[in-house]
């Protein structure tokens, strides 16, 4: 069989061996409910709280500001709906962007059907929002700004610190979907004035079905799932102890040797982009040249059908992506290939997308 070269780390990553090893005992040896009083329950509780601390440390938060969820999508729902419902008396306006992940876009559309007003900011040809447009969109009714840290397809990194300053100045909550950024960029929620931040373990070599939401102390938000009192009464459901342990370990590992790893990733990315542009005619790099995720390359190949390209790459054992999504309306590449390099040469990733025309 052809060796698989995986270029789709924006879609998901393999769970690291060390992460899996830490998770395994919590399935069948230490299976106690983290809310139970006996010793195996207390062991589970301890593991959950250790993972919470590791997660908080990684983003510069306080331990009690981290809530575990079932995925990045749930974190986005909880952040946006949670703030909207708790603050609707103060105002009914939300500002987001046109290039958010569906977990944010569809949540905002859901709120629009319930009477909320949403402004979807445009992005420029490099995928960046305009800070002026953001500030102009603010009204006395605005309660929340939700802008993704980095885009999952074109990799563009938004001016998060500046957005945080604007939000703070206007006393508006600031949520960021940092699912692509965690593990790839250094993040400090206090320094960036972030009030809520979503992450997902399977995007940084942790398990699928495991997310977390940071909510700054004092932010008024409501739970959206009713049930038990888990996660300080903000997210009902028996804790996924193994998953939580996995997220904690994965985020810890992601920030070990971070600089060295990132340097290597950036040089591989830039080498790949320069080689494609040199060797293949009529290509265009989408997104921003420098303000992009270290492992992201997103390239349009003029006149090439994205789906056909993907199928041909698959025959060669290369996994890449080509997606049909919102940003395409603004960039209109004919077809694109996005790759997210990892250091192991036998595990590279490629995904292609068939684009809106
Ligand atoms: C993957 C992703 C999500 C969704 O995370 P899940 O854990 O798969 O629900 C949300 N936002 C962005 C930017 C993503 O890349």
């Amino acid at each position: 069989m052809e060796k698989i070269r995986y270029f789709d780390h924006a879609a998901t990553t393999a769970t690291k061996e060390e992460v899996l090893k830490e998770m395994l005992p919590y399935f069948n040896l230490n299976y106690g409910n983290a809310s139970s009083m006996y010793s195996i329950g207390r062991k589970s509780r301890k593991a959950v709280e250790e993972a919470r601390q590791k997660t908080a440390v990684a983003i510069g938060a306080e331990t009690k500001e981290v809530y575990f969820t079932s995925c990045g999508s749930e974190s986005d729902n909880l952040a946006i709906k949670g703030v909207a419902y708790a603050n609707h008396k103060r105002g009914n306006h939300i500002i987001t962007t046109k290039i958010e992940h569906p977990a944010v876009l569809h949540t905002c559309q859901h709120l629009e059907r319930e009477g909320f007003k949403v402004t979807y900011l445009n992005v420029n040809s490099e995928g960046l929002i305009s800070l002026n447009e953001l500030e102009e969109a603010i009204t006395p009714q605005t309660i929340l700004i939700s802008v993704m840290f980095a885009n999952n397809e074109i990799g563009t990194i938004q001016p998060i610190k500046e957005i945080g300053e604007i939000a703070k100045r206007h006393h508006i909550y600031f949520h960021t979907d940092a699912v692509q950024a965690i593990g790839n960029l250094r993040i400090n929620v206090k320094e960036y004035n972030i009030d809520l931040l979503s992450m997902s373990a399977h995007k940084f070599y942790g398990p699928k079905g495991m997310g977390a939401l940071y909510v700054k102390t004092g932010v008024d938000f409501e739970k959206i799932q009713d049930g038990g009192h888990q996660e300080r009464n903000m997210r009902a459901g028996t804790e996924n102890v193994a998953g939580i342990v996995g997220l904690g370990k994965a985020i810890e590992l992601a920030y070990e040797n971070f600089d060295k790893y990132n340097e290597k990733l950036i040089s591989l990315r830039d080498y790949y982009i320069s080689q494609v542009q040199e060797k293949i005619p009529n290509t265009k790099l989408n997104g921003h040249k420098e303000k992009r995720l270290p492992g992201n390359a997103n390239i349009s190949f003029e006149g090439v059908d994205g789906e056909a390209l993907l199928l041909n790459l698959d025959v060669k054992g290369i996994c890449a992506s080509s997606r049909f999504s919102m940003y395409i309306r603004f960039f209109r590449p004919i077809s694109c290939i996005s790759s997210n390099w990892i250091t192991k040469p036998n595990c590279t990733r490629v995904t292609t997308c068939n684009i809106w025309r």
Side-chain angles (χ1 to χ4, degrees):
M1 209 184 95
E2 187 93 37
K3 195 161 71 180
I4 297 288
R5 295 176 193 276
Y6 187 69
F7 280 81
D8 204 10
H9 289 86
T12 196
T13 61
T15 304
K16 271 190 185 160
E17 210 54 58
E18 300 106 293
V19 172
L20 185 62
K21 212 173 129 219
E22 293 229 349
M23 290 173 68
L24 284 175
Y26 294 96
F27 285 102
N28 56 357
L29 296 175
N30 247 290
Y31 52 83
N33 188 313
S35 302
S36 299
M37 297 296 285
Y38 36 75
S39 72
I40 57 166
R42 288 199 308 271
K43 270 191 192 163
S44 295
R45 167 59 51 202
K46 189 162 173 277
V48 166
E49 295 315 318
E50 276 171 13
R52 200 187 307 281
Q53 191 180 4
K54 285 177 188 171
T55 310
V57 165
I59 60 169
E62 312 252 337
T63 306
K64 64 179 192 303
E65 295 173 320
V66 173
Y67 299 84
F68 292 118
T69 67
S70 69
C71 59
S73 301
E74 188 195 333
S75 296
D76 285 338
N77 271 265
L78 181 55
I80 297 168
K81 289 177 184 160
V83 164
Y85 296 151
N87 294 277
H88 73 280
K89 290 211 176 76
R90 219 156 54 80
N92 69 343
H93 181 231
I94 294 165
I95 301 172
T96 187
T97 80
K98 289 184 178 171
I99 62 164
E100 296 298 313
H101 187 275
V104 169
L105 285 177
H106 294 166
T107 299
C108 287
Q109 286 161 9
H110 178 105
L111 289 171
E112 279 185 286
R113 291 193 293 275
E114 295 180 345
F116 286 90
K117 301 265 178 287
V118 182
T119 301
Y120 299 89
L121 297 173
N122 276 312
V123 292
N124 67 12
S125 61
E126 291 170 320
L128 287 168
I129 65 155
S130 144
L131 293 170
N132 284 339
E133 267 174 45
L134 168 64
E135 203 146 14
E136 280 162 16
I138 294 171
T139 75
Q141 294 296 308
T142 310
I143 50 174
L144 177 69
I145 294 169
S146 180
V147 176
M148 70 196 327
F149 210 111
N151 185 266
N152 45 306
E153 291 175 28
I154 52 170
T156 300
I157 302 165
Q158 299 296 340
I160 293 300
K161 196 171 179 186
E162 290 80 357
I163 298 168
E165 276 162 17
I166 290 171
K168 192 178 177 190
R169 189 155 12 96
H170 291 270
H171 306 288
I172 298 165
Y173 291 138
F174 173 37
H175 165 249
T176 185
D177 174 341
V179 173
Q180 290 291 330
I182 293 287
N184 288 317
L185 302 171
R186 277 203 193 283
I187 296 176
N188 185 304
V189 289
K190 307 292 171 196
E191 194 185 312
Y192 289 179
N193 288 311
I194 296 167
D195 295 306
L196 304 104
L197 175 146
S198 307
M199 68 175 82
S200 175
H202 78 95
K203 302 289 175 78
F204 50 87
Y205 304 94
K208 291 173 186 55
M210 188 62 226
L213 177 67
Y214 151 80
V215 185
K216 188 178 167 179
T217 303
V219 169
D220 211 2
F221 86 113
E222 248 172 47
K223 63 182 170 187
I224 55 172
Q225 177 160 302
D226 292 305
H229 299 294
Q230 292 89 354
E231 296 302 288
R232 294 185 302 295
N233 208 21
M234 294 316 291
R235 199 278 178 178
T238 299
E239 295 87 345
N240 172 5
V241 180
I244 290 170
V245 166
L247 186 148
K249 183 67 182 174
I251 201 165
E252 184 181 53
L253 290 174
Y255 289 101
E256 271 177 24
N257 300 316
F258 179 84
D259 294 324
K260 211 173 129 220
Y261 175 74
N262 253 25
E263 226 170 83
K264 186 166 180 185
L265 211 53
I266 289 169
S267 81
L268 276 169
R269 175 196 74 190
D270 292 344
Y271 176 72
Y272 168 75
I273 291 170
S274 70
Q275 288 296 300
V276 167
Q277 290 187 323
E278 206 182 294
K279 304 215 160 101
I280 305 172
N282 305 323
T283 60
K284 179 185 167 286
L285 179 70
N286 300 308
H288 197 282
K289 204 164 177 297
E290 288 97 32
K291 291 174 192 161
R292 74 184 305 127
L293 288 167
N296 176 286
N298 186 296
I299 295 166
S300 294
F301 299 87
E302 202 186 331
V304 178
D305 179 72
E307 225 163 272
L309 180 57
L310 275 193
L311 289 172
N312 280 300
L313 286 169
D314 184 45
V315 169
K316 302 224 175 268
I318 297 172
C319 315
S321 91
S322 143
R323 296 212 191 99
F324 181 94
S325 70
M326 290 295 287
Y327 87 87
I328 292 152
R329 289 176 203 181
F330 308 101
F331 297 96
R332 295 189 179 223
I334 292 154
S335 104
C336 85
I337 174 168
S338 68
S339 63
N340 208 322
W341 290 87
I342 71 156
T343 43
K344 271 194 239 155
N346 62 339
C347 305
T348 354
R349 151 229 161 143
V350 182
T351 337
T352 21
C353 59
N354 201 357
I355 282 62
W356 183 86
R357 284 183 242 198

